[in-house]
């Protein structure tokens, strides 16, 4: 069990980190073009979500679950994540107003990582419940 769990966790983490980096790059790029931080983090989150789905589905879990089922579950998670991302980011902005938005976004993303890993493994790409 652990022989397959560790590579899956590592690959899932790598996929999530890559998607998070895309999120942060889009976020930062939009900030440089005077897009408000809340809007920039929302657009960045969507960008990262699309990349992450493709990586998780095809590379990490090599899922055979029909895209229709996986995408619907993933979209529910993405909507939850986007809402949580916005709420956590806004809360950190209020609690830590002196920190740079980029650092606040990194803290926000880190806080969602555990939820995502559990959801991918047990809900989104789990093959037994197809």
């Amino acid at each position: 069990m652990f022989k397959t769990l560790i590579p899956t966790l590592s690959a899932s983490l790598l996929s999530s980190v890559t998607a998070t980096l895309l999120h942060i790059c889009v976020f930062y790029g939009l900030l440089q073009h005077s897009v408000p931080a809340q809007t920039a983090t929302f657009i960045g989150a969507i960008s990262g979500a699309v990349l992450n789905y493709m990586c998780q589905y095809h590379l990490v879990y090599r899922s055979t679950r029909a895209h229709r089922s996986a995408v619907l579950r993933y979209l529910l998670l993405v909507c939850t994540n986007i809402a949580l991302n916005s709420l956590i980011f806004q809360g950190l902005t209020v609690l830590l107003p002196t920190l740079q938005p980029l650092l606040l976004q990194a803290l926000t993303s880190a806080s969602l990582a555990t939820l995502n890993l559990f959801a991918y493994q047990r809900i989104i790409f789990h093959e037994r419940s197809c």
Side-chain angles (χ1 to χ4, degrees), residues 46-112:
I46 291 171
S47 302
V50 170
L51 175 63
N52 197 37
Y53 174 81
M54 299 308 289
C55 290
Q56 297 285 347
Y57 185 91
H58 292 291
L59 303 175
V60 177
Y61 294 99
R62 293 182 177 91
S63 184
T64 57
R65 179 185 289 274
H67 274 294
R68 181 178 180 156
S69 174
V71 166
L72 290 174
R73 291 168 188 256
Y74 188 76
L75 285 175
L76 180 60
L77 178 65
V78 166
C79 290
T80 302
N81 272 339
I82 289 171
L84 287 173
N85 180 77
S86 294
L87 288 170
I88 293 168
F89 182 81
Q90 184 61 36
L92 289 174
T93 301
V94 171
L95 291 172
L96 305 167
T98 59
L99 291 183
Q100 295 295 319
L102 205 53
L103 181 56
L104 294 174
Q105 183 56 59
L107 291 171
T108 300
S109 295
S111 70
L112 294 172

Side-chain angles (χ1 to χ4, degrees), residues 12 15-17 33 51 57 68 93 98 110 114 117 121 124 126:
S12 185
S15 174
S16 295
V17 166
H33 288 90
L51 175 63
Y57 185 91
R68 181 178 180 156
T93 301
T98 59
T114 303
L117 185 59
Q121 192 169 30
I124 310 293
H126 193 280

